[in-house]
Amino acid sequence: MPHAHTIAGTRYVFADLRTLLARASPFRSGDALAGLAAGSASERVAAQCALADLPLARFLDEAVVPYEADEVTRLILDRHDRRAFAAIAGLTVGGLRDWLLSPAAGPDALAALRSGLTPEMAAAVSKIMRLQDLVAVAAKCRVVTRFRNTIGLPGRLSVRLQPNHPTDDEKGVAASVLDGLLLGAGDAVIGVNPATDSVPATMALLNMLDAVRERYAIPTQTCVLAHVTTSLRCIERGAPVDLVFQSIGGTEAVNRSFGCSLALLAEAQDAALSLRRGSLGEDVMYFETGQGSALSADAHHGVDQQTIEARAYAVARAYAPLLVNTVVGFIGPEYLYDGKQITRAGLEDHFCGKLLGLPMGADVCYTNHAEADQDDMDALLTLLGVAGVTYVMGVPGADDVMLSYQSTSFHDALYLRGALGLRPAPEFEAWLDRVGVDGAVPERIPSGLSPALIGLEP
């Protein structure tokens, strides 16, 4: 059904919901590349006005990707909670924005609403919100997950310690782990992107990381971010797998391009649960997402990249993940051209993820050929901290030497915790105190972290 709005004497008509959402999206290079962006600022405003007047119930009647052709659409609609939706069923998209910003939308009310929201509803309302709106609402969302520690509590900021190495050298990885632990990082996960996605290489890293964790009794979880099928084979061979990782997207076709499906993710979750390695909880999945992945795989079905990204969160929440993060600037300037677009996308992703009930973190990052720099990342990092981001990345020197992109450093996480009065996960904080790490830049290796890590000299 067409949607229309007149602005400045010009009537704009949008053929269907998919087109309306695309034209209403704040400008980004990926939508322009796909031919989906509004042709002018006036058309974008007209689309946003038409979207604001759209009843939320329409999202249940008109799928942006056909139900019969896409298992993600089927997941979204089949699991939609009509009872939870009843509280907002009479609202428009604009009315939902007003309610989300009102005092009535406190943490408990937002939690009760999650299962009644579809990703398309979340994406739609984000398109008519300012940055401060995205920050204000996300800051009210509470999502808590557990494995060996408790992540997402109010007043806490966790850090993924990301000790990547270009050749998966175990001593190189261990050195970065020690660096991160000394700077208070690692409570979200100690997670390595392997340079070689093979079972032997993955198992070697898993065993090394688990040995470090056990030697120092660190209340955290480890992960080698190999493909889900590699992790399954490692589990079959008895490897110490805490979390199963997978990159996911918002359509069946993009997940197929990643070599995964909903059934495969369910199999992986069951396999990880069977190991019973968690001490506080059983949240065993870790997902990464990013705007532009569907377009790069020609798997977007003519849907704008931010709406497709929100649909990935429906996939994630079906498997009770411990961690989810958007790698917001990683895919490149073809999809998010500059610091302004990366900042907007990062806050959209975080808002939509938290609103839909996910433990949302962000890799505040950019590639070296994007029109962005560290000042842009400082601004986004700070905004996400105010918005209550669950965790951020900790990369030695903010420069990932294996993936060749710019992220956030251990020092950046210390800055954010210090500036906003945030603390690590409580169990990890107690461990830091026990081993003598005080959350500041260390002058020496504390006695609690001796002897040396896996063959490293102190």
Side-chain angles (χ1 to χ4, degrees), residues 98-135:
D98 293 342
W99 181 80
L100 289 172
L101 290 166
S102 74
D108 292 341
L110 290 168
L113 181 62
R114 291 169 186 164
S115 59
L117 285 171
T118 68
E120 291 86 352
M121 294 175 191
V125 74
S126 75
K127 293 175 191 296
I128 61 169
M129 298 176 86
R130 299 170 58 183
L131 295 190
Q132 67 175 243
D133 297 342
L134 299 172
V135 170

Side-chain angles (χ1 to χ4, degrees), residues 72 75-76 79 119 309-319 356 358:
V72 176
L75 175 72
I76 291 167
R79 295 201 181 187
E309 170 72 6
R311 284 168 53 94
Y313 304 152
V315 176
R317 71 177 177 178
Y319 303 98
L356 292 168
L358 291 177

Side-chain angles (χ1 to χ4, degrees), residues 28-31 33 249 254 258 289-300 303-309 326-328 331-332 334-336 345 349:
R28 62 211 61 200
S29 53
D31 290 340
L33 180 66
V254 71
F258 289 146
T289 67
Q291 289 192 30
S293 60
L295 176 58
S296 68
D298 193 23
H300 62 297
V303 181
D304 70 272
Q305 65 184 41
Q306 191 254 332
T307 300
I308 289 290
E309 170 72 6
T326 169
V327 285
V328 62
I331 301 180
E334 299 86 357
Y335 308 100
L336 295 168
D349 294 351

Side-chain angles (χ1 to χ4, degrees), residues 237-254:
R237 297 187 185 188
V241 175
D242 289 344
L243 307 182
V244 173
F245 168 83
Q246 183 55 42
S247 295
I248 57 172
T251 70
E252 179 179 347
V254 71

Side-chain angles (χ1 to χ4, degrees), residues 15 23 38 61 90 93 166 175-176 180 197 236 264 268 287 295 351 354 414 418 437 442 444:
R23 301 296 191 271
D61 299 327
V93 174
S176 293
D197 195 335
E236 291 168 358
L264 183 58
F287 297 118
L295 176 58
F351 162 84
K354 292 292 281 291
L414 284 178
V437 176
R444 59 179 178 81

